[in-house]
Amino acid sequence: MTKQRLVILGGGESGVGTALLGKAKGYDVFVSDKGKIKEKYKQVLIHNEIEWEDETHTEAKILNANIVMKSPGIPDKAPLVKQIRQKGVLVVSEIEFASKYTIATIVGITGSNGKTTTATLTHHLLKQELEVGLAGNIGDSFAKQILEKDYPNYVLEISSFQLDDIVGFKPQIAVITNITPDHLDRYDYKFENYIASKFRIAENQTKDDYLIYDADDEILTDWLKKHPVQSTLLPFSLVKTIENGAYLDKENIIITINNNQIIMPTSSLTLEGNHNIKNAMAASTVAHLLKIRKQTIRESLENFQGVEHRLEQVLKINKVQYINDSKATNVNATYYALESMDAPTVWIVGGVDKGNNYEELFPFVNEKVKAIICLGVDNEKLINAFGNMVDVIVETQFMSEAVKIAYKLAEAGDNVLLSPACASFDLFENYEDRGRQFKEAVRNL
């Protein structure tokens, strides 16, 4: 019998992880990357005798695939992907491919914002009492973990791009944190296409599975009315009373599942802001479902440190607090950041605009922002949006310069906030690189 041919487009973390799992499962594996494969990944492929190419796609070696796993960064519009689909070859994402090789309980977390914090917090709550892996958009790839450890439980942070290429993937517990316009460039600029993509996380669920979601998010509740799912619903809310799910009662989070109730004081949360109460509700609901003890949940909420590049307090210099929120790659994330500022703020913003509408930020900018530093190649839209609202608005293309300007503008008691509301690819490798450069520049002041 000839081996099934697995072709992998993209030689990054998910691509190389899938290659290793595919080889172990008896596939004939080929990895092809149009860009350069990082040296550390090349070494893994060479060491495992997996055939690969980079800086080109050899069509003859790709179109003869039985199955193609494409990296989430490659759009469906790419001519090569279109050709593969025209040939009737199945195109899947890493989570689809890998999930076939585990019987683990999967918690899948998606949303426009809050998914990294919620996934990291959920993993933190579960790992005290369960063996659990954290994968998806975080850390080691899901495929690689299944090959090397195969935990009985996984928390996966899942992007809409990964959900676009699922077939049978089904998490027993799905979480949708919220949906706001993001990545519309990949969805023909149609918001409903993006919403539908996020809801694919529940499309294979049955009544024995759970969907946890923000009941205060009209986009989610309206969509569910028009497109009911099979799953058992467990909503969470800051304003409504919820019978099955989680809600806020004064200073307490109350979580009820099948008449089994637990109460968590919000004072036990280390993370500040309403959005983090929601992230904690979602994570604690998962923990409650998976029978983690109430005491453990409370203690874990108390000692959770948060996520790097997400409202991360870097240093205080001359009574000015420097805050790294580089992970805010869309307007809604920056909304949460500005909402949580409790002092006059010098705001560093800008990058690759994904069709942003900055209007929802106007009230906060008027109220809290004293100066704006635009850090992007093209800042025209930002200057048009905010130019009349603040006394000082400056442009730069260097992080070190942005931080020096902020240092000059900020007075004792102020905040300096990097919360770009944009993607980072014009001046940086990724949002992590942007955040690290910010921290480095702050430490060099």
Side-chain angles (χ1 to χ4, degrees), residues 336-352:
Y336 293 134
L338 290 172
E339 181 187 42
S340 69
M341 291 299 113
D342 49 8
T345 299
V346 176
W347 175 34
I348 304 173
V349 57
V352 181

mmCIF file of all heavy atoms in Angstrom, residues 336-352:
data_model
loop_
_atom_site.group_PDB
_atom_site.id
_atom_site.type_symbol
_atom_site.label_atom_id
_atom_site.label_comp_id
_atom_site.label_asym_id
_atom_site.label_seq_id
_atom_site.Cartn_x
_atom_site.Cartn_y
_atom_site.Cartn_z
ATOM 1 N N TYR A 336 -10.290 48.371 25.737
ATOM 2 C CA TYR A 336 -10.164 47.842 27.103
ATOM 3 C C TYR A 336 -8.981 48.478 27.832
ATOM 4 O O TYR A 336 -9.044 48.757 29.024
ATOM 5 C CB TYR A 336 -9.967 46.323 27.093
ATOM 6 C CG TYR A 336 -11.157 45.543 26.611
ATOM 7 C CD1 TYR A 336 -11.014 44.512 25.697
ATOM 8 C CD2 TYR A 336 -12.441 45.822 27.085
ATOM 9 C CE1 TYR A 336 -12.102 43.777 25.252
ATOM 10 C CE2 TYR A 336 -13.540 45.097 26.649
ATOM 11 C CZ TYR A 336 -13.367 44.075 25.732
ATOM 12 O OH TYR A 336 -14.447 43.350 25.305
ATOM 13 N N ALA A 337 -7.891 48.668 27.092
ATOM 14 C CA ALA A 337 -6.688 49.231 27.708
ATOM 15 C C ALA A 337 -6.941 50.663 28.174
ATOM 16 O O ALA A 337 -6.667 51.019 29.325
ATOM 17 C CB ALA A 337 -5.528 49.184 26.720
ATOM 18 N N LEU A 338 -7.504 51.484 27.270
ATOM 19 C CA LEU A 338 -7.756 52.887 27.627
ATOM 20 C C LEU A 338 -8.809 52.972 28.735
ATOM 21 O O LEU A 338 -8.710 53.797 29.634
ATOM 22 C CB LEU A 338 -8.202 53.690 26.393
ATOM 23 C CG LEU A 338 -7.119 53.941 25.342
ATOM 24 C CD1 LEU A 338 -7.720 54.563 24.083
ATOM 25 C CD2 LEU A 338 -6.002 54.840 25.871
ATOM 26 N N GLU A 339 -9.811 52.095 28.682
ATOM 27 C CA GLU A 339 -10.860 52.069 29.704
ATOM 28 C C GLU A 339 -10.248 51.857 31.093
ATOM 29 O O GLU A 339 -10.697 52.416 32.085
ATOM 30 C CB GLU A 339 -11.858 50.933 29.396
ATOM 31 C CG GLU A 339 -13.007 50.825 30.380
ATOM 32 C CD GLU A 339 -13.890 49.591 30.139
ATOM 33 O OE1 GLU A 339 -13.358 48.492 29.875
ATOM 34 O OE2 GLU A 339 -15.103 49.746 30.228
ATOM 35 N N SER A 340 -9.192 51.037 31.158
ATOM 36 C CA SER A 340 -8.625 50.712 32.476
ATOM 37 C C SER A 340 -7.561 51.714 32.954
ATOM 38 O O SER A 340 -7.024 51.560 34.045
ATOM 39 C CB SER A 340 -8.052 49.290 32.457
ATOM 40 O OG SER A 340 -6.914 49.236 31.632
ATOM 41 N N MET A 341 -7.276 52.751 32.167
ATOM 42 C CA MET A 341 -6.294 53.761 32.604
ATOM 43 C C MET A 341 -6.928 54.673 33.654
ATOM 44 O O MET A 341 -8.020 55.188 33.450
ATOM 45 C CB MET A 341 -5.836 54.638 31.416
ATOM 46 C CG MET A 341 -4.982 53.919 30.375
ATOM 47 S SD MET A 341 -3.434 53.258 31.019
ATOM 48 C CE MET A 341 -3.745 51.506 30.877
ATOM 49 N N ASP A 342 -6.209 54.881 34.771
ATOM 50 C CA ASP A 342 -6.771 55.712 35.837
ATOM 51 C C ASP A 342 -5.916 56.955 36.069
ATOM 52 O O ASP A 342 -5.943 57.547 37.140
ATOM 53 C CB ASP A 342 -6.891 54.894 37.129
ATOM 54 C CG ASP A 342 -5.590 54.161 37.442
ATOM 55 O OD1 ASP A 342 -4.581 54.423 36.741
ATOM 56 O OD2 ASP A 342 -5.581 53.340 38.372
ATOM 57 N N ALA A 343 -5.127 57.346 35.059
ATOM 58 C CA ALA A 343 -4.283 58.542 35.176
ATOM 59 C C ALA A 343 -4.095 59.112 33.772
ATOM 60 O O ALA A 343 -4.307 58.413 32.781
ATOM 61 C CB ALA A 343 -2.925 58.148 35.767
ATOM 62 N N PRO A 344 -3.692 60.400 33.670
ATOM 63 C CA PRO A 344 -3.421 60.967 32.338
ATOM 64 C C PRO A 344 -2.412 60.077 31.596
ATOM 65 O O PRO A 344 -1.441 59.607 32.189
ATOM 66 C CB PRO A 344 -2.813 62.340 32.648
ATOM 67 C CG PRO A 344 -3.292 62.680 34.019
ATOM 68 C CD PRO A 344 -3.443 61.382 34.746
ATOM 69 N N THR A 345 -2.681 59.846 30.306
ATOM 70 C CA THR A 345 -1.924 58.830 29.575
ATOM 71 C C THR A 345 -1.281 59.377 28.307
ATOM 72 O O THR A 345 -1.928 60.093 27.538
ATOM 73 C CB THR A 345 -2.872 57.651 29.227
ATOM 74 O OG1 THR A 345 -3.372 57.092 30.448
ATOM 75 C CG2 THR A 345 -2.165 56.562 28.443
ATOM 76 N N VAL A 346 -0.012 59.030 28.122
ATOM 77 C CA VAL A 346 0.669 59.265 26.842
ATOM 78 C C VAL A 346 0.541 57.943 26.080
ATOM 79 O O VAL A 346 1.012 56.900 26.537
ATOM 80 C CB VAL A 346 2.161 59.617 27.052
ATOM 81 C CG1 VAL A 346 2.853 59.753 25.692
ATOM 82 C CG2 VAL A 346 2.292 60.905 27.862
ATOM 83 N N TRP A 347 -0.147 58.005 24.932
ATOM 84 C CA TRP A 347 -0.539 56.780 24.232
ATOM 85 C C TRP A 347 0.298 56.585 22.963
ATOM 86 O O TRP A 347 0.351 57.465 22.106
ATOM 87 C CB TRP A 347 -2.034 56.881 23.905
ATOM 88 C CG TRP A 347 -2.623 55.787 23.087
ATOM 89 C CD1 TRP A 347 -2.292 54.465 23.079
ATOM 90 C CD2 TRP A 347 -3.717 55.930 22.155
ATOM 91 N NE1 TRP A 347 -3.098 53.771 22.210
ATOM 92 C CE2 TRP A 347 -3.977 54.637 21.633
ATOM 93 C CE3 TRP A 347 -4.501 57.003 21.723
ATOM 94 C CZ2 TRP A 347 -4.991 54.404 20.682
ATOM 95 C CZ3 TRP A 347 -5.507 56.773 20.800
ATOM 96 C CH2 TRP A 347 -5.742 55.479 20.286
ATOM 97 N N ILE A 348 0.973 55.434 22.873
ATOM 98 C CA ILE A 348 1.733 55.077 21.663
ATOM 99 C C ILE A 348 0.864 54.129 20.846
ATOM 100 O O ILE A 348 0.468 53.059 21.320
ATOM 101 C CB ILE A 348 3.075 54.404 22.030
ATOM 102 C CG1 ILE A 348 3.905 55.318 22.949
ATOM 103 C CG2 ILE A 348 3.862 54.051 20.756
ATOM 104 C CD1 ILE A 348 5.174 54.662 23.502
ATOM 105 N N VAL A 349 0.549 54.516 19.602
ATOM 106 C CA VAL A 349 -0.439 53.784 18.790
ATOM 107 C C VAL A 349 0.037 53.703 17.350
ATOM 108 O O VAL A 349 0.847 54.511 16.902
ATOM 109 C CB VAL A 349 -1.822 54.504 18.886
ATOM 110 C CG1 VAL A 349 -1.712 55.952 18.441
ATOM 111 C CG2 VAL A 349 -2.906 53.783 18.076
ATOM 112 N N GLY A 350 -0.452 52.705 16.601
ATOM 113 C CA GLY A 350 -0.201 52.674 15.155
ATOM 114 C C GLY A 350 0.456 51.400 14.684
ATOM 115 O O GLY A 350 0.910 50.576 15.470
ATOM 116 N N GLY A 351 0.483 51.224 13.360
ATOM 117 C CA GLY A 351 1.011 50.020 12.738
ATOM 118 C C GLY A 351 0.229 49.763 11.465
ATOM 119 O O GLY A 351 -0.188 50.702 10.794
ATOM 120 N N VAL A 352 -0.008 48.500 11.152
ATOM 121 C CA VAL A 352 -0.780 48.170 9.953
ATOM 122 C C VAL A 352 -2.260 48.162 10.321
ATOM 123 O O VAL A 352 -2.705 47.374 11.143
ATOM 124 C CB VAL A 352 -0.381 46.795 9.381
ATOM 125 C CG1 VAL A 352 -1.187 46.498 8.118
ATOM 126 C CG2 VAL A 352 1.104 46.759 9.065
#
